[in-house]
Amino acid sequence: MEKDPQNREQEFSKHDNDWKDFFKTKFNQEPGVHLGGNEPKNKKKFTFSFWYFFIILLAFMAMNTFMATRQANVQSIDYNQFKSLISGGTIKRVAIEEEKYLGYTFTREQALGQLQDTNRTADVLVQSFSTYKVADDPTFIPLLDEHKVEYYATAPIKPSLLSSLLGYLLPIAFVLLIWRFVFSKMGGQGGQGVLSFTQNKSKIVAEGDTGVRFADVAGADESKYELEEVVDFLKNPDKYTEIGGKIPKGVLLVGPPGTGKTLLARAVAGEAGTPFFKMSGADFVEMFVGVGAARVRDLFKQARDNSPCIIFIDEIDAIGRQRSAAGIGGNDEREQTLNQLLVEMDGFDSRTGVIILAATNRPEILDPALLRPGRFDRQVLIDKPDLDGRHAILKIHTKNIKLADDVDLKKIAQASAGLAGADLANIANEAALLAVRQARKAVTQADLEEAIEKSVAGLERKSRVLNEKERERVAYHETGHALTAYMTEGSEPVSKISIIPRGLSALGYTLQYPTEDRFLLSERELLGNIDTLLGGRAAEEVVFNEISTGAGNDISRASDLVRRMIQEFGMSERYRNITLPTTQSGIAGVAGSREFSEKAQEYIDTETARIVNERYAIVRQNLEKNKNALITITKQLLENEVITGTEFQALAKSEVIV
Ligand code: ADP
């Protein structure tokens, strides 16, 4: 996934400099890593107030110390010494405080200033003494009277508002400081996370104009076509609402990583000229419960304020995963976030012009509630690119690269079957780096080939690149499905055969689109479906005389179908029109209990095996008869990677002998 490159970087550096400069001048060192990294936009505000607060605090402390030193020439003495200073006549005036006596000695000097002429004198303070009161000394006041010492009592000193405020604030500031420090140590964004839980990270990535257009996305023509409609919704909403139509709120982009889902979402915003809010599903999920929900609220509020606009939620499976039924192992935070998302999606009127695009590569784990009408009810499939698609993507990504004359991008496209757009972009870049390393002025074919090797070796675990033998086997397997479907009466027409690896387990696939909506399948059609499923393995056996693991999924689906025919649909000989139900246990991995006899179970097992074997033999025989057709079509498939429905029908028509 792409990580919205420049925008964020620029914003960070701009705000970061403020505090970095401060840090440098103040402490003569670079700021620690704990403040850097993914700090978002709002850090500026926080950093500023934080440092100002710190400086003010220092100023107060300095002031306090200064005030304290002003009283420093008060000499603290013992009580009896104090008394003897009174009787000795040194102390002339006594201030009686709550806990202390303060004694002052004066000299009478000629007054200064305006009083100079009048020859008057004024008292000038020479020294102050202080002592703690001795409780209930009845001789003290008489002593003062006796020596004619002036005395007066002062009101107890109340702590000033300022100092009591400081008394409260200082510990709080201290705790906050430690908290921030600890969380920033715990990982980049913690400090921000703690002090601004609910602030929306999507603010950071709201782009005015994404600068991406449909022309920047190669291949994916069908997906583009579907998304063009979304652009039209955003541009001319009235066209749809005037006749009472509802504009869809959410579109789910489904496809493996790196196939350009983010790019397409950006292109939609770019084409429609609307702002683009991007968040990743994982951004919502924080360690504090409720934060994710608050973020969702915030995101939608922002989007409404900026409508028309696009919200893009990448990796929606992080929050959209099916909610747990029993509450065991549930994740409150994620579920709250998901609920909030559902509430927000239901709550807004599609006329506000906010359309939510979301991307996932695992649509099957999403909560069904997300896919209901009025939510993500549209799905757009973005698959790995075919040969032409790869060629086009390579063209786009080599546009700004100087290519030598010997470069043949078509060949590179052929050699990179199974790779996604992001991998191809990476290959183009890697080739350029290789050329530079060798001090060449242009990228050669050899550079590109080496780049493929490099990225394929690195990607081996990540994505599937089949070797020649495997490709051939997969091609025969898929052609086997397609031909069997063609030869089977009542089977739906083949609309596409592909040997571009897709998803996590499929190495190739044969698509059959029903010509009409089907609610019922006849026994004959069910058997036709089973035949088609078995066709892949049968073709492998016909050509290679051995079978492989590639058919695992087909076999299990075929056997399952046969079992259902017997148990659910009452289509077996012995239990014709009788169901043999199994109750579902409801707990994954635990088998349900059956409601029929052991004997019936035995019958189900042997009958399933008999039917599957019987069908397999027929399918194999048919393919054997049409081995030539199998070989011709497979060759074409190996060359083009994809055969469309019409191409296939034409080929089959001329080759197949029934
Ligand atoms: P996804 O969101 O599906 O994981 P991205 O949209 O993030 O994939 O794709 C990553 C990068 O790969 C894109 O920025 C782009 O450079 C490149 N890319 C992927 N698919 C295409 C495509 N169809 N056309 C052009 N570039 C593509």
Side-chain angles (χ1 to χ4, degrees):
M1 307 270 148
E2 198 209 2
K3 295 279 180 234
D4 51 280
Q6 291 111 4
N7 267 346
R8 208 188 284 193
E9 281 305 319
Q10 277 170 8
E11 294 217 33
F12 290 157
S13 49
K14 197 168 108 235
H15 304 309
D16 276 2
N17 286 340
D18 298 334
W19 67 268
K20 267 188 193 150
D21 286 345
F22 179 83
F23 210 99
K24 260 191 190 163
T25 46
K26 188 86 190 153
F27 300 110
N28 198 24
Q29 68 178 65
E30 284 292 330
V33 277
H34 57 279
L35 287 173
N38 295 333
E39 298 283 294
K41 196 176 175 179
N42 56 18
K43 202 194 64 190
K44 172 183 176 177
K45 219 163 120 199
F46 174 74
T47 316
F48 252 109
S49 52
F50 171 72
W51 285 116
Y52 275 133
F53 179 67
F54 193 65
I55 290 167
I56 291 169
L57 213 69
L58 277 180
F60 274 132
M61 282 158 87
M63 238 166 73
N64 263 358
T65 332
F66 176 66
M67 308 257 272
T69 48
R70 275 188 52 177
Q71 296 190 352
N73 65 346
V74 177
Q75 196 183 339
S76 194
I77 52 175
D78 291 344
Y79 184 65
N80 58 351
Q81 259 183 313
F82 195 81
K83 272 172 90 173
S84 57
L85 281 177
I86 291 170
S87 17
T90 316
I91 288 176
K92 297 275 176 23
R93 189 185 292 165
V94 170
I96 305 169
E97 291 184 351
E98 207 181 6
E99 293 177 334
K100 275 182 174 179
Y101 296 120
L102 280 173
Y104 305 105
T105 55
F106 298 99
T107 54
R108 288 191 94 74
E109 284 180 7
Q110 196 177 45
L112 297 170
Q114 290 175 345
L115 300 175
Q116 228 168 7
D117 304 336
T118 56
N119 217 7
R120 276 166 64 179
T121 55
D123 291 339
V124 173
L125 180 68
V126 175
Q127 208 181 359
S128 321
F129 300 95
S130 78
T131 189
Y132 283 100
K133 274 181 178 178
V134 170
D136 302 330
D137 177 6
T139 62
F140 189 70
I141 301 293
L143 182 75
L144 294 178
D145 286 336
E146 188 190 333
H147 295 280
K148 305 223 166 23
V149 172
E150 280 177 50
Y151 60 94
Y152 55 91
T154 59
I157 302 168
K158 284 199 190 111
S160 71
L161 186 67
L162 191 75
S163 57
S164 48
L165 259 180
L166 268 182
Y168 284 115
L169 285 181
L170 263 173
I172 294 176
F174 188 65
V175 169
L176 279 181
L177 208 72
I178 292 185
W179 195 4
R180 183 179 158 80
F181 179 73
V182 168
F183 275 100
S184 54
K185 281 275 177 210
M186 273 166 64
Q189 47 157 278
Q192 182 263 344
V194 169
L195 290 161
S196 55
F197 315 98
T198 59
Q199 273 177 10
N200 194 345
K201 289 183 188 169
S202 79
K203 265 183 198 154
I204 319 159
V205 283
E207 294 172 40
D209 179 8
T210 56
V212 182
R213 300 290 180 269
F214 279 138
D216 299 317
V217 189
D221 287 334
E222 283 162 37
S223 331
K224 266 197 266 185
Y225 179 74
E226 295 207 33
L227 290 171
E228 262 160 22
E229 208 181 10
V230 174
V231 174
D232 202 38
F233 289 145
L234 286 168
K235 274 187 169 164
N236 315 301
D238 297 343
K239 199 164 90 185
Y240 298 87
T241 48
E242 255 165 28
I243 58 163
K246 272 204 180 123
I247 294 174
K249 292 178 187 172
V251 180
L252 193 65
L253 308 177
V254 180
T259 43
K261 296 184 291 296
T262 314
L263 193 70
L264 260 173
R266 279 223 162 87
V268 171
E271 290 280 347
T274 57
F276 180 73
F277 290 87
K278 181 192 168 200
M279 266 188 108
S280 176
D283 288 347
F284 290 110
V285 185
E286 287 279 337
M287 62 179 148
F288 300 102
V289 173
V291 176
R295 284 211 175 117
V296 172
R297 256 195 312 272
D298 215 27
L299 175 68
F300 276 81
K301 188 181 169 304
Q302 270 196 65
R304 270 193 296 267
D305 293 345
N306 286 290
S307 73
C309 70
I310 296 270
I311 295 179
F312 177 61
I313 305 175
D314 204 355
E315 295 173 35
I316 195 168
D317 33 293
I319 44 169
R321 198 171 296 207
Q322 211 145 15
R323 285 166 290 189
S324 50
I328 303 167
N331 179 338
D332 272 354
E333 164 63 350
R334 195 169 50 69
E335 284 177 16
Q336 268 194 24
T337 311
L338 174 58
N339 285 337
Q340 187 64 39
L341 180 67
L342 297 177
V343 167
E344 291 287 347
M345 284 191 83
D346 290 343
F348 79 80
D349 189 331
S350 53
R351 274 169 301 184
T352 47
V354 180
I355 290 188
I356 306 149
L357 303 181
T360 181
N361 55 352
R362 302 163 75 194
E364 69 284 355
I365 64 163
L366 290 183
D367 197 298
L370 260 179
L371 309 176
R372 258 183 231 141
R375 293 167 184 167
F376 292 102
D377 47 4
R378 286 192 168 210
Q379 297 199 10
V380 173
L381 180 73
I382 302 172
D383 217 338
K384 286 197 175 164
D386 59 11
L387 185 64
D388 289 337
R390 290 199 301 274
H391 191 187
I393 294 172
L394 281 169
K395 269 194 211 154
I396 286 186
H397 288 283
T398 50
K399 213 166 44 190
N400 298 324
I401 293 176
K402 281 197 193 109
L403 297 179
D405 291 340
D406 72 330
V407 169
D408 182 353
L409 288 181
K410 183 109 192 173
K411 273 201 185 134
I412 301 299
Q414 272 163 352
S416 51
L419 294 187
D423 305 325
L424 295 170
N426 188 35
I427 283 174
N429 192 48
E430 193 65 40
L433 296 184
L434 281 170
V436 171
R437 209 172 298 156
Q438 316 236 340
R440 259 187 264 112
K441 287 269 175 270
V443 171
T444 63
Q445 183 80 352
D447 289 332
L448 282 163
E449 277 162 10
E450 196 180 334
I452 292 186
E453 253 169 55
K454 228 174 144 179
S455 95
V456 167
L459 288 169
E460 226 154 37
R461 252 166 280 126
K462 220 168 72 185
S463 62
R464 278 155 212 282
V465 176
L466 300 178
N467 66 31
E468 244 347 275
K469 259 200 180 141
E470 285 172 330
R471 253 183 107 230
E472 206 183 354
R473 195 178 267 276
V474 172
Y476 275 110
H477 182 104
E478 296 307 329
T479 313
H481 284 309
L483 269 181
T484 313
Y486 180 82
M487 293 185 286
T488 309
E489 195 193 329
S491 177
E492 275 126 17
V494 171
S495 55
K496 188 175 178 184
I497 322 174
S498 159
I499 49 165
I500 300 168
R502 176 176 106 147
L504 286 176
S505 57
L507 300 174
Y509 56 95
T510 305
L511 272 183
Q512 287 173 277
Y513 281 140
T515 35
E516 55 200 295
D517 279 349
R518 304 301 303 266
F519 301 103
L520 288 175
L521 285 175
S522 68
E523 196 172 351
R524 175 67 242 147
E525 284 162 341
L526 278 173
L527 288 175
N529 280 350
I530 292 163
D531 288 358
T532 309
L533 284 169
L534 296 172
R537 172 164 276 195
E540 284 183 55
E541 199 175 354
V542 167
V543 179
F544 300 106
N545 231 341
E546 81 181 334
I547 51 178
S548 74
T549 55
N553 184 33
D554 300 338
I555 301 291
S556 93
R557 277 168 61 195
S559 345
D560 199 45
L561 213 55
V562 175
R563 223 170 276 131
R564 284 182 69 192
M565 281 176 77
I566 302 170
Q567 287 186 249
E568 279 179 43
F569 311 137
M571 289 178 176
S572 61
E573 260 166 48
R574 189 192 296 173
Y575 296 99
R576 197 123 192 116
N577 309 327
I578 293 170
T579 59
L580 303 169
T582 334
T583 47
Q584 302 251 319
S585 78
I587 303 168
V590 180
S593 60
R594 56 164 199 250
E595 294 174 6
F596 45 84
S597 66
E598 190 71 36
K599 249 173 123 182
Q601 177 67 56
E602 230 177 273
Y603 175 77
I604 294 170
D605 292 340
T606 45
E607 192 63 4
T608 307
R610 187 188 66 80
I611 295 177
V612 170
N613 287 337
E614 193 181 287
R615 299 314 305 176
Y616 185 81
I618 299 173
V619 170
R620 211 195 126 161
Q621 206 179 359
N622 279 335
L623 286 175
E624 199 91 60
K625 215 163 60 183
N626 283 293
K627 199 167 169 181
N628 282 339
L630 189 62
I631 293 171
T632 320
I633 297 175
T634 304
K635 272 206 180 124
Q636 173 131 0
L637 182 58
L638 279 167
E639 212 162 287
N640 298 348
E641 293 177 0
V642 176
I643 295 183
T644 63
T646 21
E647 282 168 354
F648 173 75
Q649 303 298 340
L651 278 169
K653 213 170 187 173
S654 65
E655 299 281 337
V656 172
I657 348 154
V658 188

